[in-house]
Amino acid sequence: MRRIVVVGAGKIGSIIAENLAGSGDYLVTVLDRSAKALEGVSKRLPIERREVDIGDVTALTEALTGAYAVLSAAPYHLTIKVAEAAAIARCHYLDLTEDVATTRRVKELAANAPNAFIPQCGLAPGFISIVAGSLAKKFDTLEAVRLRVGALPRYASNSLGYNLTWSTDGVINEYCEPCEAIVEGTLREVPALEEREEFWLDGVPYEAFNTSGGLGSLAEVLKGRVRTLNYKTIRYPGHCQLMKTLLNDLRLRDRRDLFKTVLEGALPATLQDVVVIFVTVSGMLDGQLTQESYSSRVFGDYAHGRQRTAIQTTTAAGICAVLDMLADGRLPAHGFIRQEDIALDDFLANRFGRAYQGANPVDQVVARVA
């Protein structure tokens, strides 16, 4: 049994720990600076809990020494600390970050490293990159790659059409930071909350708009090969304009702590959510302009004595599946590993990856339209 350290005992970290410990194949230790957060990790499973200051690289390195891998579910601003400690301890490193600057630092640490560094193992970036990469490889030449993902309440009851289902810091970060995109063949930074579009899936109306971090390393990989590449977050119609009012007109983007307090004080959390995934790739295939799309809706589940949200289920499943593939020898054991290098079929066949097939397999569609 391999020893695994999970950093962060929050909404996602606790589920990762329970998935791995419940599999019977890993010895799991969870680290967090908060004793209260550690108390929230299931006591039904053999999980070690340790109170450690994640910002202290020396203490963190000591905790990682001898571990097979560390999985970071820490807030994005602490992720670099975990990566640096993994480099010193020489254990494999996986994270969930969507922060571009953090991933650049992880890539630097991975250069000539004897251990594997696999960032962005969640939903977006993460699974969405695996889907897009797998679809793109089928084409002779690429025209456009469009990625759309959203974690939404199933029963929206406020004007924002939104409830808190994961990290508030993460939501604010992706709404405020610049976004990578390829426009007319040129890699550019575009502003968040712009380029809004509307579409329908299964009779439900949605909007989508630019947000930061969702592309992962796809922009780097597809630069020079595709004319259009972008990532947008899916929400119910009306959400984008209200967020622009709050962040831009009321200047809450300059007071993010206050904005976090407002959101967490006004928007209730919900366990009744749905993750919507929609990827479209177009290009030349066998001499014909062709489009191939992937659409899926994933709901939450119940495991180890508690209800899990869809965003918890998908995010935790992503990083656990990648760890499994690493442990099974299906991924390189050293250096920097991109999500889009992971085969979609292999991922979905994994015991954790199967969570992405959704509660009802009929909800998942892979369609080719010539």
Side-chain angles (χ1 to χ4, degrees), residues 158-342:
N158 56 59
S159 59
L160 285 173
Y162 191 70
N163 291 88
L164 298 177
T165 58
W166 71 296
S167 165
T168 310
D169 288 316
V171 171
I172 294 171
N173 185 61
E174 70 177 21
Y175 282 6
C176 293
E177 296 301 315
C179 318
E180 288 188 319
I182 294 178
V183 182
E184 297 296 329
T186 301
L187 179 60
R188 295 172 45 187
E189 282 193 346
V190 295
L193 299 177
E194 297 297 338
E195 299 184 32
R196 178 184 175 275
E197 63 189 30
E198 294 185 358
F199 64 96
W200 294 66
L201 279 177
D202 300 321
V204 179
Y206 299 104
E207 67 178 17
F209 48 87
N210 295 340
T211 52
S212 175
L215 280 184
S217 54
L218 267 177
E220 176 186 344
V221 171
L222 296 181
K223 182 180 179 182
R225 296 178 50 203
V226 67
R227 183 178 179 183
T228 300
L229 170 68
N230 54 51
Y231 169 86
K232 298 183 181 183
T233 288
I234 299 171
R235 295 287 186 255
Y236 294 121
H239 180 91
C240 182
Q241 185 55 53
L242 289 171
M243 279 295 170
K244 290 174 74 171
T245 298
L246 293 169
L247 288 167
N248 299 338
D249 296 345
L250 299 184
R251 299 183 64 179
L252 287 176
R253 69 169 55 248
D254 300 325
R255 305 178 67 187
R256 296 191 191 184
D257 288 343
L258 174 59
F259 191 35
K260 178 181 179 180
T261 299
V262 170
L263 290 179
E264 293 184 343
L267 296 180
T270 182
L271 297 178
Q272 297 171 303
D273 66 334
V274 57
V275 165
V276 181
I277 302 166
F278 185 37
V279 179
T280 299
V281 179
S282 62
M284 298 301 295
L285 182 60
D286 298 329
Q288 185 175 15
L289 182 62
T290 303
Q291 173 179 301
E292 188 162 333
S293 300
Y294 178 103
S295 174
S296 181
R297 294 184 302 162
V298 184
F299 301 94
D301 62 9
Y302 186 88
H304 303 299
R306 67 159 134 176
Q307 180 68 36
R308 301 171 168 191
T309 65
I311 190 63
Q312 286 177 312
T313 297
T314 51
T315 305
I319 197 168
C320 291
V322 174
L323 174 65
D324 252 5
M325 296 173 74
L326 177 67
D328 290 342
R330 292 180 174 272
L331 297 175
H334 60 86
F336 186 79
I337 300 172
R338 298 181 175 91
Q339 294 297 309
E340 51 270 23
D341 293 330
I342 298 171

